[in-house]
Amino acid sequence: MCPIQVFFDLLIVMISPECCIICLVYINRLIAFTEMPLQPTNWRPLVLCSLLVAQKVWDDRYLSNSDFAFIYPFFVTEEINKLEQKFLELI
């Protein structure tokens, strides 16, 4: 199984299809504004932040930053908070 599929399989049951579409829109917007390409070193944080923001915008009941840190233990809550803040500044 590829790493991208594993990454999404953990969340697919908790995130609505609409959030996935909004996630893609946010990533496209980020790439358009910053000309930052998706690379093997940055796709996880970018997708994580995009999903996080999309879910907070779209869903009435969303996962907290600490929930995302629990699901993806390679990120700690403080790091997710900083990534989310920077992501929002860039989009």
Side-chain angles (χ1 to χ4, degrees):
M1 205 180 292
C2 77
I4 295 172
Q5 185 176 356
V6 171
F7 188 85
F8 279 104
D9 282 348
L10 293 171
L11 279 177
I12 202 68
V13 296
M14 294 180 254
I15 292 186
S16 66
E18 295 87 359
C19 284
C20 292
I21 299 299
I22 295 168
C23 169
L24 291 173
V25 170
Y26 286 156
I27 290 172
N28 280 337
R29 183 178 173 133
L30 178 78
I31 292 170
F33 287 170
T34 65
E35 298 180 5
M36 178 187 346
L38 285 178
Q39 298 179 344
T41 57
N42 72 1
W43 73 265
R44 276 187 182 96
L46 292 178
V47 171
L48 177 84
C49 287
S50 182
L51 282 170
L52 181 80
V53 172
Q55 193 183 39
K56 286 182 178 181
V57 168
W58 185 259
D59 289 342
D60 292 333
R61 296 184 65 195
Y62 55 85
L63 298 173
S64 69
N65 292 10
S66 60
D67 292 331
F68 275 90
F70 181 78
I71 295 167
Y72 297 112
F74 45 86
F75 293 108
V76 295
T77 304
E78 294 78 24
E79 185 179 25
I80 292 174
N81 293 342
K82 289 178 186 176
L83 287 169
E84 180 185 17
Q85 182 179 5
K86 187 65 176 175
F87 183 84
L88 289 170
E89 290 171 8
L90 292 173
I91 63 167

